[in-house]
Amino acid sequence: MHLAPAARSPQDVPEEVNRRQALIRESARLFREKGYDATTVRDIAGAVGMRSGSPFYHFKNKQEILKAVMEEGLHQGYERSVAALAQASTLQQRFRALVRTHYGILHDEGSEFIAVLLYDWRSLPPEYKQEIIKVKDRYDALWQPTLQDLMQAGLLGANSAHDPAAADDVKVARLLVMGAINFTATWYKQQIEKTQPTQPKGHPTVAALRMDLDALADRTVRFFMRTDPA
Amino acid sequence: MHLAPAARSPQDVPEEVNRRQALIRESARLFREKGYDATTVRDIAGAVGMRSGSPFYHFKNKQEILKAVMEEGLHQGYERSVAALAQASTLQQRFRALVRTHYGILHDEGSEFIAVLLYDWRSLPPEYKQEIIKVKDRYDALWQPTLQDLMQAGLLGANSAHDPAAADDVKVARLLVMGAINFTATWYKQQIEKTQPTQPKGHPTVAALRMDLDALADRTVRFFMRTDPA
DNA sequence: CCTACCGATCGGTAGG
DNA sequence: CCTACCGATCGGTAGG
């Protein structure tokens, strides 16, 4: 019987991987809060109890951290959506599952990765963009069949009977729906906010609407979906 | 008969104002292209043929330039929308006017102000945020009556007959619709692109869809509006 | 992963 | 609006 390898943590994950994950998690939080450019490598190091030069032991440079944050978000989004879809049976349930899950990865506490993707996309170098786009396409593809079915059933978009849901239409529909949801990143305020100094850092115009994510998802689904033409 | 004051330009505007306007215009272009943080005061100065220290003759600091850019966008948006609404008679026309105008201020060449507002909101200091919010509220308010009427007519949102368009519903509807439109800033590519080095700087996933702003506005209106329940 | 450090850049200013 | 400049900060590295 062999001795177990030394530095291993709870789930048999090398400690080095844990540190890397901690850097990704804290970076996401900081990027979401202050933006990529405004976040210092020293901020990141400090958040995980390192000194300023040490993050570069785990990442080649600051931009690689940004890339890792975005990848993490898309992976989580994909996994959660697949799981949610597996629980859904009706068409409406599938749509709601996708919407609710997307709201989750966008607004759940500790899930700032996708918001960073949306906010700081410009800061990602072109080479990295191409890699992220691949993972993002995989996520977006999860929406396509459901939206396609909704449009063909006349439950989404112009219910004109002329051309039956061209692929192009479905794509635009997805962009508009996901756009509406993504943009909540700028105005939706979490119900349960931590006890933190409340500076006016919300988006323009919007007094916090009292809605949890379930309510927001319901309203969103109801807003976009036509009621069953019974 | 008095002599006309010396340094005046075409429309009897002091040259100093022109220089200031040039700074705002070029800053908007640069901010939109590279982001506020990534844009240097030296970049801005260079774009209008000044030396690095000179923008501070017109603005107290870099943040004041950002504020001025956002104000300019909201003023233009307001003026254009009022003008467009004045041309519209039917409810559908009013909706389309608002949508089309918003697309214009978001995507027209030389109209990068609102995109900067959306992208770089975080970089604006809290004191300035409050000022901008006031102007933004004025712009948003232009949408409210039209959306209200649409919802009451059952042409927008859940066409359930239960509660007849609460103020809250209209607000959420506006946020979702404007969110969908605003988010096109990340994926819509102008048809006529200037002859510039085409680096892959677009948003993830989206191959450019062949649509001009009129087509995009039409599709958006059709996507959100129920057809007249004739 | 730390210590010690560097080169570059950046917003902003004085003084004209 | 220019010249000349400064203090601060920042990403990143060498060497252990």
Side-chain angles (χ1 to χ4, degrees):
Chain A
M1 201 204 262
H2 300 293
L3 283 171
R8 296 262 149 160
S9 73
Q11 296 183 329
D12 204 37
V13 173
E15 192 51 36
E16 190 172 316
V17 174
N18 278 336
R19 297 305 285 155
R20 190 187 152 95
Q21 274 303 116
L23 282 167
I24 294 174
R25 187 180 352 108
E26 292 304 304
S27 295
R29 206 176 43 75
L30 288 164
F31 292 164
R32 166 76 237 237
E33 188 185 324
K34 325 201 292 179
Y36 173 78
D37 284 314
T39 301
T40 288
V41 173
R42 284 163 175 79
D43 293 336
I44 296 170
V48 298
M50 289 178 183
R51 296 310 188 85
S52 72
S54 301
F56 296 108
Y57 172 76
H58 296 274
F59 295 92
K60 213 178 73 200
N61 52 42
K62 192 186 170 190
Q63 295 164 337
E64 283 229 334
I65 304 181
L66 181 60
K67 191 185 94 174
V69 166
M70 294 178 177
E71 272 169 348
E72 176 69 22
L74 290 169
H75 279 128
Q76 284 192 17
Y78 185 83
E79 296 303 328
R80 289 196 207 178
S81 296
V82 168
L85 281 175
Q87 303 292 327
S89 46
T90 71
L91 184 50
Q92 160 144 18
Q93 282 171 353
R94 278 160 55 206
F95 185 46
R96 199 198 113 113
L98 289 170
V99 171
R100 179 61 182 84
T101 304
H102 198 79
Y103 274 124
I105 60 167
L106 205 53
H107 295 294
D108 280 348
E109 211 189 308
S111 183
E112 285 87 21
F113 313 99
I114 293 296
V116 172
L117 168 62
L118 300 179
Y119 275 115
D120 289 316
W121 177 253
R122 268 182 318 191
S123 299
L124 198 68
E127 323 86 74
Y128 291 171
K129 281 188 186 174
Q130 294 180 5
E131 293 182 51
I132 299 295
I133 287 176
K134 285 183 195 156
V135 195
K136 185 176 184 305
D137 283 343
R138 204 176 61 122
Y139 177 76
D140 290 340
L142 287 175
W143 285 63
Q144 216 68 3
T146 299
L147 293 186
Q148 168 105 29
D149 291 351
L150 279 172
M151 292 185 84
Q152 237 145 22
L155 295 174
L156 186 74
N159 48 8
S160 53
H162 55 86
D163 68 322
D168 202 55
D169 284 334
V170 180
K171 191 173 197 172
V172 174
R174 179 175 60 72
L175 288 164
L176 292 176
V177 173
M178 293 185 84
I181 299 176
N182 282 336
F183 206 73
T184 64
T186 70
W187 60 266
Y188 177 76
K189 297 247 198 161
Q190 208 73 353
Q191 284 258 68
I192 310 105
E193 283 193 333
K194 310 295 277 185
T195 20
Q196 274 166 14
T198 33
Q199 293 132 5
K201 59 174 178 178
H203 202 73
T205 220
V206 187
L209 292 166
R210 297 298 162 91
M211 267 188 293
D212 60 20
L213 291 179
D214 285 321
L216 182 58
D218 282 338
R219 287 176 81 137
T220 303
V221 168
R222 266 189 283 118
F223 182 75
F224 281 109
M225 256 188 79
R226 276 112 180 84
T227 45
D228 221 332
Chain B
M1 202 202 262
H2 300 295
L3 283 171
R8 298 260 151 160
S9 73
Q11 295 182 331
D12 203 38
V13 174
E15 193 52 34
E16 191 173 315
V17 174
N18 278 337
R19 297 305 285 155
R20 189 188 151 94
Q21 274 304 116
L23 282 167
I24 293 174
R25 188 181 352 107
E26 292 304 305
S27 295
R29 206 176 44 74
L30 288 164
F31 292 164
R32 166 78 237 237
E33 189 185 323
K34 325 200 290 179
Y36 173 78
D37 285 313
T39 301
T40 288
V41 172
R42 283 162 176 79
D43 293 335
I44 296 171
V48 299
M50 288 178 184
R51 295 312 186 84
S52 71
S54 301
F56 296 108
Y57 172 76
H58 297 275
F59 295 92
K60 211 178 74 197
N61 51 43
K62 194 186 170 190
Q63 295 164 337
E64 282 230 333
I65 304 181
L66 181 60
K67 190 186 93 173
V69 166
M70 295 179 177
E71 270 169 351
E72 177 69 22
L74 290 169
H75 278 128
Q76 284 193 17
Y78 185 83
E79 295 303 328
R80 289 197 207 177
S81 296
V82 168
L85 281 174
Q87 303 292 328
S89 45
T90 71
L91 184 51
Q92 160 144 19
Q93 282 170 352
R94 279 160 53 207
F95 185 46
R96 202 204 108 110
L98 290 170
V99 171
R100 179 61 181 83
T101 305
H102 198 80
Y103 274 125
I105 60 166
L106 204 53
H107 295 293
D108 281 347
E109 211 187 309
S111 183
E112 285 87 18
F113 313 99
I114 293 296
V116 172
L117 168 61
L118 301 179
Y119 274 116
D120 289 316
W121 177 253
R122 269 182 317 191
S123 299
L124 199 66
E127 323 85 74
Y128 291 172
K129 281 188 185 174
Q130 294 179 6
E131 292 182 53
I132 299 296
I133 287 176
K134 284 183 196 157
V135 195
K136 186 178 185 300
D137 283 344
R138 204 177 61 122
Y139 177 75
D140 289 340
L142 286 175
W143 285 62
Q144 216 68 3
T146 299
L147 294 186
Q148 167 107 26
D149 291 352
L150 280 171
M151 292 185 83
Q152 238 145 24
L155 296 173
L156 187 73
N159 48 7
S160 54
H162 55 87
D163 68 322
D168 202 55
D169 285 334
V170 180
K171 190 173 198 172
V172 173
R174 180 175 59 73
L175 288 165
L176 291 175
V177 173
M178 293 185 84
I181 298 175
N182 283 335
F183 206 73
T184 64
T186 70
W187 60 264
Y188 176 77
K189 297 248 200 162
Q190 207 72 352
Q191 283 257 70
I192 309 104
E193 282 193 334
K194 309 296 278 185
T195 19
Q196 275 166 12
T198 33
Q199 293 133 4
K201 60 174 176 175
H203 201 73
T205 218
V206 186
L209 293 165
R210 296 300 162 90
M211 268 188 293
D212 62 19
L213 291 179
D214 285 322
L216 183 57
D218 282 338
R219 287 175 81 137
T220 303
V221 168
R222 266 188 285 116
F223 182 75
F224 281 108
M225 255 188 80
R226 275 112 181 84
T227 46
D228 222 331

